[in-house]
Amino acid sequence: MATPSPSNTAASAVVSTKARRDISWVTVTLVCLPFLVLGCLIAYRKIGGDPAKMFGYTMGPVIWGAVVAGLLGRFAKARFRLTFMVTFLVMEILPLLNAVSSINNGNVTAASPSSSATEESAVPLPARIDFEWPEGWRLEPVERVDGGVAQRSVLFQNKRPVAAMLVSLGRDGPTRTLSEEANVAMESATETIEKAGGTVAWSPSREDNVGNLPAIEREGTIVKGHEKARELVILVDGPDHAMCGLVYTANVENFDGYKPQFDDAVKRFTCRNTSAVASADH
């Protein structure tokens, strides 16, 4: 029987010591599993009933963690399981922090169906919207858009989106009329739709009054491939140069069926300046 040389023995000891320094898969599982569950919940809220997108959203950090750990283990002799865990946690925690920040900093909050509320934004805005979301519509996180904030709600039937609402709050140009603001908004919406490969035809503007404030309504028909949708846009001239947007979108066959829920929410819509809100709170 051959006696191992001192050099081979030393090398084996180094390998064994390095292997012992790596964390166990049990530790990786216990640390990562709660964040994986949170990632699944965020994906369910954000994406909804699309299984392929949800799988990609939740398994992305796992796949990237394995890739990064494998590359660093091969070229930098890094410990695989520890590197995998760190990479996975970074990719899971960043979207989680972003979602929490969006909810905490938005003006249009995820109000329950029986209440309406908005929170102060990190970026001061001249007004606050109160909007009651219909029951059963799935809220998405608040987003920053064009100097303001917006929040969208989607209605799913049989795990497929059939209609959506969007509420936004921002500043208008002090020198523009409501009609001019509507034209600018429609031009921007048309550009966005065309960049996505669709076309849109807008109806003439119709003046209205929403929440005791002057408003303009425009309805559009959007065509993209074999899909055709209708969209109703309501721009409300709020106090102190605030511009409020209310948008309802659905496929042509669903538009009339779910629109009454949007109409009921619009009837309860209010937009108040921040000084009036502060006075009411006290």
Side-chain angles (χ1 to χ4, degrees):
M1 180 176 181
T3 302
S5 65
S7 60
N8 289 339
T9 303
S12 300
V14 170
V15 172
S16 300
T17 303
K18 183 177 180 180
R20 286 197 300 270
R21 288 177 180 172
D22 202 353
I23 59 177
S24 67
W25 280 115
V26 174
T27 302
V28 173
T29 303
L30 292 176
V31 173
C32 294
L33 185 58
F35 291 95
L36 182 61
V37 172
L38 285 174
C40 291
L41 295 175
I42 294 174
Y44 182 80
R45 178 180 179 181
K46 185 174 183 178
I47 299 174
D50 191 327
K53 288 184 178 180
M54 285 189 63
F55 179 81
Y57 191 94
T58 55
M59 295 305 295
V62 176
I63 295 171
W64 276 109
V67 170
V68 171
L71 291 175
L72 291 179
R74 180 177 179 83
F75 297 105
K77 306 303 180 183
R79 287 167 286 178
F80 179 85
R81 289 188 285 272
L82 181 60
T83 306
F84 168 81
M85 186 179 71
V86 172
T87 305
F88 171 84
L89 291 178
V90 169
M91 296 193 67
E92 281 288 1
I93 290 174
L94 289 179
L96 177 63
L97 292 176
N98 182 61
V100 173
S101 175
S102 296
I103 293 173
N104 289 337
N105 292 333
N107 283 67
V108 187
T109 63
S112 65
S114 60
S115 65
S116 60
T118 52
E119 298 176 355
E120 294 300 323
S121 170
V123 178
L125 290 169
R128 193 176 83 171
I129 288 178
D130 292 328
F131 188 81
E132 295 184 20
W133 300 98
E135 186 175 0
W137 292 63
R138 185 177 302 159
L139 285 171
E140 296 184 351
V142 176
E143 297 181 355
R144 299 281 179 191
V145 289
D146 297 331
V149 291
Q151 187 171 27
R152 194 169 74 128
S153 176
V154 182
L155 179 65
F156 287 86
Q157 294 291 342
N158 297 322
K159 297 184 178 181
R160 295 183 61 85
V162 294
M165 299 183 196
L166 183 139
V167 178
S168 64
L169 174 63
R171 296 180 181 274
D172 66 0
T175 60
R176 292 177 183 161
T177 65
L178 178 59
S179 178
E180 290 170 338
E181 283 290 340
N183 290 335
V184 171
M186 293 304 101
E187 289 174 2
S188 177
T190 300
E191 183 179 355
T192 300
I193 293 169
E194 290 178 346
K195 283 183 178 179
T199 60
V200 58
W202 296 103
S203 67
S205 298
R206 185 174 74 86
E207 294 184 359
D208 200 351
N209 187 285
V210 176
N212 295 320
L213 295 168
I216 283 183
E217 296 184 9
R218 296 284 295 272
E219 186 174 321
T221 301
I222 304 169
V223 179
K224 185 177 180 182
H226 298 293
E227 298 181 354
K228 182 181 289 187
R230 290 170 62 188
E231 182 167 284
L232 174 61
V233 179
I234 303 176
L235 293 180
V236 183
D237 194 3
D240 297 333
H241 302 297
M243 181 60 62
C244 310
L246 308 171
V247 183
Y248 167 69
T249 309
N251 290 340
V252 171
E253 60 270 20
N254 297 321
F255 188 87
D256 293 331
Y258 301 113
K259 185 174 179 292
Q261 298 184 49
F262 175 72
D263 293 338
D264 289 341
V266 171
K267 290 177 183 177
R268 295 187 290 272
F269 158 87
T270 60
C271 181
R272 299 175 289 167
N273 60 29
T274 50
S275 59
V277 172
S279 299
D281 290 342
H282 288 84

